Amino acid sequence: MIIKTRNLTKKVPSEEGELIILNDINLELEKEKSLAVVGPSGSGKSTLLGLLAGLDSPSSGEIFLNDQPLHELSEDQRAKVRKENVAFVFQSFELLPGLTAIENVMLPSELNLDKDAEARASEYLTRVGLGNRLKHYPRQLSGGEQQRVAIARAFACNAKVLFADEPTGNLDNKTGAKISELLFEVNEESSNALVVVTHDANLASKCDNQIELSEGLIA
Amino acid sequence: MLLGLSLKLFWRELKSGQLSIMFFALVLAVATVSSISLFTDRLEKALLAETQEFLGGDLKFESNDLIEDEPYEEIQKLNLKSTEMVLFASMLASGDNLQLASVKAVDQNYPLVGGVELRSESKNIYVKRPPDLGQVWLDLRLMDILKLEVGQTVSIGDADFIVSHSILSEPDRASNSFAFAPKAIINAQDLEKTNVVQPGSRVRFSTVYLGEKAELLLAKNILEKTKQPGDDIREAQDANDSLGKAIERSGNFFLLGGLLAVLMAAFTVGMSSQRFARRHIEYVAILKSLGTESWEIRLLYSLIFIELGVFAIFFGLILGWFMQEGFTGILKQYFPTDLPTPGFQPLLISSLTVFICLIGFVYPNLVKLVKISPLSILRREESKTSSSSYLMFALALSAMFLLVFLYTERLLLSSIVFFTILFIFVLGYGIILSFFRSTTRLGLGANNPLSLAWSELHRRKYTNSLQVLAFTMAIGLSLIAFSARTDLMSTWESTLPPDSPNNFLINISKSDLNSISSFLEENEIEESTFYPITNTVIIKLPKEGEEVSKPIDRNFNATWSSELPLGNTIVSGEWFKGNSSDGLSISNDIAARYGLDIGDPVKVFFADQEIDTYIQNTREVNWDNFSPNFFVIGPPEIFKNSQATYITSLHVPKEKDKVISEFMSEFKTVSVLSIDAIIDQVNDIIEQVSKALEVILGLTIFSAMFLTLATIQDGFNLRLHQSAILRTFGASTSLLQKSTALEFALLGLLAGFLGALLAQTGIFFLETEIFDLEAAFHANIWVMGPIIGTILICALSVILILSITRKNPKEIIYNS
Ligand SMILES: Nc1ncnc2c1ncn2[C@@H]1O[C@H](COP(=O)(O)OP(=O)(O)O)[C@@H](O)[C@H]1O
Ligand SMILES: [Mg+2]
């Protein structure tokens, strides 16, 4: 199992008492498999993804990522787990505006102290079809191109799991379809697992497993 | 509609704390400005009252003769109060004891301002009337010498008087001729029976006027016309004594403090409003996409800031009033009169300050904000700054100059502050841009804190240079305030060393010189130079081509010496050479007031002689040191035949006070003037001013903190977001903390150096141009600046970085 949760619950304090965002989630995902998370807006999909990736900590319950008990780890320990295991693609790309495409892709390698960061970044960008846009800044790229840079960056993470939160949500259908294709290619080539939140039925159907969230519960 | 919306927005922003720094910075600025200007306003009024009392009124005319009938009647028609006095020197006798004293005969209107503090038996009283007929008030020292008690009899000339009171203090001490001698005051109606005043005897007639400015001017013009050589016209505002100097100087200190606070507030507002505008981009874009027009948005935001301004003025004024009461409380005891109520001007100035700050430092950011295209909802990044950044700079610079000028009302001081800051800005900008000119290598260098910090410094060089300049302001201005409190104050204090002269011996005849010297030696009192004095009148002679020669309206006590007196410095021309028998040295004040230049021919009258000569040099006279000072000095050759008396100054330690009384009874014709009281007063003022300055220093440091915080906050959301993304990919918080701390430490170090440079430059000009002090190198500033800069800015940034770690990256990315 690359991901395993038991009774995973997330609550936040709110003005009308505690708000339960995720309630008692149990799920498992095997290595190199893909999982689609679907559900209406506000059902807790992003929250779940954040917890699985170790970006956030649960209120109760257990999460194991590559056998590491995330729920027991401090923020710094989780950062280390993320460095070794996690790649992330966001709906709004989240590239650093001050860095060029290649510099954005180099980031994970730099954090891992890899020597050949530049060569690899250039390779990944070529792989996603942006070999001729290495020195461009995010603002000089279209949405689809920015998301491709983000996918190249995810490639560079050399991760065990790739998380993607509505990766096609900000893109038109045609570009979106290309991006989903790329995601599965990455998934295949780097033999990692993929967890993707999506509203795109087509994308969801390509995944090995699917779960549907509704008001914090697996439907 | 817009007003309601603006109020709602303003209130929301204020409550959520987004406007706090700006608001507090403005409140602090208003409080500082209003308290200081309220206070200096009252201080100035009190000073005028003080000098008025010193003179006995607003305008004083002294003459060897009574004023002629015609001008006298003309003046009587004016709406002025006046009192007439007759001054003369006379021997007072009580039994076998004799003493020369100056006697003042005063009329029913005496005193015009203030009152006379008297003591009878053991009670002190404060009266506003002349002595009763047949009675005399005597100086304490005079009673001591004559061995008199209150109630006993003393004779002046042919008349006997009963000593009703001793004089503790009197107004009207600023008389030219006999002021130095111990004094007796009698009623003018008793004057005749003394038979002292005879034709040909040395008498001064003096009239003091009190009234409105315009009327006083008329009276002055009439007196100018009737004035003879030897007559003297004085006005309350040209007081040039040590006390006036001390008060003027402390006024400068306060002014400086206020100025620093205002500048800091302006920059804080500038920094915070930039951040404010950035946060509102989306809001404006949405409003625009909903069809709101540009002018409405402009109006909306202008209203928000006007509301902020009004709010800040309101609270600032309240705070300022209380602070001002505090300052006043501190200095109150040094003014005999109650402090006058303050005028309206300070309120006006602080309100203007706020609006100049807002227009100069906020408006440019609003202009940029209003220009945002509705498309930026779709693309989150900022629109590029364009030509408007020039507008912003120009506006901010003119606002800064305007603020400084508005506040100091002095072109010189304003220009000094303005150009010093401008120079440092250009320098700092240049250093940063050339230091971090190129990006050294590809990538963010996120493998270790040092390389990450280094690469960030290169990438952010434009925003960083702005931040460094703001830090520089905060550090530099605080250092100036600190230095004003410590170095400038102590330099000032040391201008009044504890052994400075506190007694003058006046009216010493040549034959007494040797015996006085040996008297001083016996009593172990150090003697200093004996200056000969003679009374002179100087007339400016016409140069070729000119017609009239206008007599200078004063008589001067001139001295002669072959050496430049201590504490004097030549301003132009040269000191007398060898046995020169020609030329005069005059003080630069006198030169300026009467339009005398080097080489101008003059005629000098003294004793019964008359000599043609010229102006050889002008001197700067040091009024701080309480040594005898002379407006006019000649070479000994000119005056060698004149009949001189001598003057000297002594430092008599407190415990040797008795020696003075002994001296006076041994040398009856010598007058002794003790200025212990004045010295104490000046020392007290210095001490109290430094206390008040501490408060102002505290305020300045507070403002500096606000500025630093606002600066660090600026662009902080961007940093926060970036670090959240880095953390997603496994960057540890310690890497991010260390690199941010390193980055800010380096910026702080640079800002510390620039701040020290700013402070040193500013202080140099303050010392030389404003405070008349010797310029000095302030090593402590150069040490403190970089250290404080590095530590303080690093520490503040760490506090903010810690807020990064408290939030998890998911929250930051998803909620921005
Ligand atoms: N930090 C938070 N504080 C309060 N409410 C939150 C917080 N995070 C998420 N929520 C709420 O939890 C619910 C689930 O959010 P999210 O996981 O973003 O849903 P989804 O991604 O499925 O649209 C939403 O109603 C959201 O408003
Ligand atoms: Mg979501």
Side-chain angles (χ1 to χ4, degrees), chain B residues 70-350:
Chain B
E70 201 179 320
Y72 183 83
E73 270 159 32
E74 263 184 83
I75 294 176
Q76 287 299 311
K77 280 185 218 147
L78 298 171
N79 188 17
L80 290 171
K81 283 194 207 160
S82 66
T83 178
E84 287 162 38
M85 292 170 249
V86 184
L87 294 146
F88 55 94
S90 172
M91 272 297 174
L92 267 59
S94 155
D96 291 341
N97 299 310
L98 284 175
Q99 175 66 36
L100 181 74
S102 87
V103 181
K104 181 158 82 176
V106 298
D107 67 11
Q108 289 309 312
N109 296 334
Y110 181 86
L112 272 191
V113 290
V116 193
E117 211 181 328
L118 299 171
R119 177 187 292 169
S120 64
E121 277 110 45
S122 58
K123 222 170 68 211
N124 290 3
I125 53 169
Y126 186 75
V127 302
K128 292 172 183 274
R129 58 166 179 85
D132 292 335
L133 290 183
Q135 295 189 345
V136 63
W137 297 338
L138 287 188
D139 185 276
L140 266 181
R141 193 158 262 152
L142 201 49
M143 298 193 46
D144 209 29
I145 298 166
L146 294 170
K147 303 201 166 58
L148 277 167
E149 303 275 330
V150 166
Q152 295 182 322
T153 307
V154 65
S155 53
I156 304 174
D158 294 344
D160 284 347
F161 292 87
I162 291 176
V163 182
S164 68
H165 298 87
S166 54
I167 306 170
L168 295 176
S169 83
E170 54 171 334
D172 173 41
R173 298 180 294 276
S175 182
N176 224 5
S177 342
F178 306 100
F180 294 139
K183 188 162 284 180
I185 300 180
I186 59 171
N187 196 304
Q189 292 174 40
D190 284 336
L191 184 59
E192 209 173 316
K193 67 180 187 189
T194 63
N195 277 328
V196 175
V197 180
Q198 305 287 345
S201 59
R202 242 191 114 192
V203 174
R204 294 285 279 177
F205 297 91
S206 154
T207 314
V208 185
Y209 303 93
L210 185 72
E212 294 298 320
K213 251 195 183 127
E215 307 262 319
L216 286 167
L217 198 65
L218 290 174
K220 191 182 163 201
N221 287 339
I222 297 168
L223 292 170
E224 293 277 8
K225 267 183 249 151
T226 162
K227 197 163 80 68
Q228 301 293 315
D231 293 357
D232 193 25
I233 298 176
R234 284 227 230 169
E235 285 172 281
Q237 61 254 45
D238 43 59
N240 194 6
D241 62 340
S242 311
L243 196 61
K245 256 284 200 262
I247 289 170
E248 185 196 316
R249 204 175 260 180
S250 38
N252 280 339
F253 274 121
F254 287 119
L255 211 63
L256 178 66
L259 188 60
L260 298 181
V262 168
L263 283 180
M264 222 106 71
F267 279 81
T268 309
V269 168
M271 289 311 269
S272 317
S273 67
Q274 206 173 331
R275 182 174 131 92
F276 176 91
R278 204 174 295 135
R279 281 193 316 103
H280 277 252
I281 288 175
E282 220 162 308
Y283 197 82
V284 169
I286 292 171
L287 283 177
K288 279 196 171 176
S289 65
L290 293 177
T292 317
E293 286 176 53
S294 282
W295 70 266
E296 290 174 302
I297 294 174
R298 192 186 307 249
L299 185 61
L300 174 70
Y301 280 95
S302 304
L303 280 172
I304 291 178
F305 279 94
I306 289 172
E307 284 149 18
L308 176 73
V310 170
F311 223 56
I313 290 172
F314 179 73
F315 283 103
L317 285 180
I318 292 178
L319 187 61
W321 177 260
F322 282 113
M323 277 162 45
Q324 177 270 147
E325 284 286 300
F327 289 151
T328 311
I330 289 176
L331 285 178
K332 202 162 209 156
Q333 63 194 100
Y334 300 98
F335 299 102
T337 41
D338 274 343
L339 274 182
T341 46
F344 240 101
Q345 203 199 5
L347 308 188
L348 202 71
I349 284 187
S350 34

Side-chain angles (χ1 to χ4, degrees), chain A residues 56 76 82 94 103 110 165, chain B residues 445-446 721 727 733 808 814:
Chain A
D56 196 357
D76 271 348
R82 288 199 297 268
E94 305 296 350
E103 286 174 324
E110 283 183 12
D165 191 354
Chain B
H721 198 84
R727 282 167 69 193
T733 45
N808 66 57
Y814 281 85

